Amino acid sequence: MNAQDSATKNYVDTRAVSKTGDTMTGTLDMNGRAITNLLDPSAAQGAATKSYVDKQDSAQIITLNSYVDTHAVSKSGDTMTGDLNMGGRMVKGLPVHYPPTTYLGSEASSWSQVTQLVNAEVQNAIKITKELITKELITNTPKKSYSGYVPILEENISRTGFVTTASAVTTGDFKAYGAFNSLNDEGSNGSWATPAKKGWLQIKCPEAVTIWRVALKTRAIDGKNITEWNFSGSNDGKTFEPLLTSTTKLFGSANAPLFFDISTTTAYLYYRLAIQASTGAGDLGVQVMQLYVLST
């Protein structure tokens, strides 16, 4: 058909788009032109206006924001409604408070915080333990008494509970208790004396005591010296345990007693000084024998 030829209605109907509505059988190329005055679509495949699309985008944004706010954890702080499985990953950047005055007990603590808290508790436990041990040691550690344990005795069997005996005595003025009676002068129950050059002096205490020192002084007579002696303890008065063996001379010319430390942790009821060797004639003896005890 030529450009100027007449066209039948059928020809036009089958080839042109009808104003009353039609269906394209091919692609419609708008060639950069606009389609205007469209209705908002009602069918799934209907063309959408810009206004319609803008409204839908705005609604989608509101819906998405609401979904995120409801389901995601906010950076500004939030509360979990279920468990959070870290899948073996770490939570970093936790705060450190020391002292932990801001913690209520249910907060997650940083490793640094936990280390400080543990170290603080350990140090506190060590401090408390040391204090308890020190207190226990102070309470139960025996203390050295520097005051003589044996009081002034008035007789061999004393009203104070002490009992003194000896291997022998020269006369009634030199009984065993005289070595524990500093009120009397030498020769008037102010010392113990034996006619032999050897002998022993013994005291029984009211109760078993542990001693750490003994004071000894021979009779105040020049030349009557004790040259070898030993000191022992017993709880039955028969079997004596040696506590000190000495060759330190106890001179009769000495004006004051000598002090000897005793190394023992055993409490004894009896204590005995045994003279093994001496110089001078008879009437050897002891003017001072004093015990110093450990007390708790």
Side-chain angles (χ1 to χ4, degrees):
M1 176 177 288
N2 295 322
Q4 298 300 317
D5 290 345
S6 296
T8 65
K9 177 180 180 296
N10 181 63
Y11 181 87
V12 174
D13 289 342
T14 57
R15 287 171 172 75
V17 176
S18 173
K19 283 186 176 183
T20 60
D22 216 330
T23 301
M24 296 294 295
T25 58
T27 302
L28 179 62
D29 185 354
M30 295 304 297
N31 195 26
R33 304 296 180 176
I35 297 176
T36 61
N37 203 24
L38 288 173
L39 292 174
D40 288 339
S42 59
Q45 298 299 317
T49 64
K50 178 180 181 301
S51 174
Y52 179 83
V53 172
D54 289 344
K55 290 178 181 179
Q56 297 305 310
D57 287 344
S58 177
Q60 286 293 334
I61 291 171
I62 293 172
T63 301
L64 288 173
N65 287 345
S66 176
Y67 182 86
V68 170
D69 290 343
T70 304
H71 294 82
V73 177
S74 173
K75 282 186 176 183
S76 62
D78 219 326
T79 301
M80 297 293 296
T81 58
D83 295 334
L84 179 62
N85 186 346
M86 296 303 298
R89 304 296 181 180
M90 297 176 64
V91 177
K92 295 184 177 181
L94 290 171
V96 177
H97 300 288
Y98 194 81
T101 54
T102 60
Y103 284 150
L104 301 176
S106 60
E107 297 88 343
S109 300
S110 67
W111 178 251
S112 175
Q113 181 69 62
V114 171
T115 301
Q116 289 186 13
L117 291 174
V118 170
N119 287 341
E121 288 300 318
V122 169
Q123 293 301 318
N124 188 49
I126 291 174
K127 179 183 177 182
I128 292 174
T129 302
K130 285 183 176 179
E131 289 175 350
L132 290 175
I133 291 175
T134 301
K135 184 178 180 181
E136 186 73 13
L137 288 174
I138 292 173
T139 301
N140 296 318
T141 298
K143 301 174 183 63
K144 293 179 178 179
S145 174
Y146 288 87
S147 297
Y149 174 65
V150 183
I152 296 172
L153 304 184
E154 79 290 351
E155 190 51 80
N156 281 343
I157 301 177
S158 172
R159 292 188 297 270
T160 61
F162 291 88
V163 177
T164 60
T165 52
S167 56
V169 295
T170 55
T171 67
D173 289 336
F174 295 94
K175 295 179 181 180
Y177 82 92
F180 304 92
N181 187 344
S182 60
L183 293 182
N184 293 345
D185 295 330
E186 169 68 33
S188 180
N189 286 326
S191 61
W192 161 70
T194 175
K197 298 192 68 173
K198 293 184 180 181
W200 53 264
L201 173 66
Q202 176 180 294
I203 185 167
K204 179 184 177 183
C205 303
E207 59 184 359
V209 291
T210 304
I211 68 170
W212 68 278
R213 176 176 284 184
V214 61
L216 298 171
K217 181 183 181 300
T218 190
R219 288 186 66 195
I221 300 177
D222 192 16
K224 295 185 181 295
N225 307 320
I226 299 174
T227 56
E228 293 183 27
W229 54 274
N230 63 60
F231 195 77
S232 57
S234 173
N235 279 310
D236 60 7
K238 298 177 181 179
T239 303
F240 283 82
E241 296 295 330
L243 301 176
L244 179 64
T245 298
S246 178
T247 56
T248 300
K249 293 181 179 181
L250 304 176
F251 292 100
S253 59
N255 294 320
L258 296 179
F259 295 87
F260 300 91
D261 288 348
I262 304 294
S263 179
T264 183
T265 57
T266 304
Y268 292 105
L269 191 62
Y270 297 84
Y271 287 97
R272 175 182 287 186
L273 170 68
I275 301 169
Q276 303 297 323
S278 62
T279 61
D283 295 338
L284 182 74
V286 175
Q287 188 177 21
V288 175
M289 178 172 160
Q290 182 58 269
L291 308 178
Y292 296 85
V293 302
L294 291 173
S295 60
T296 55

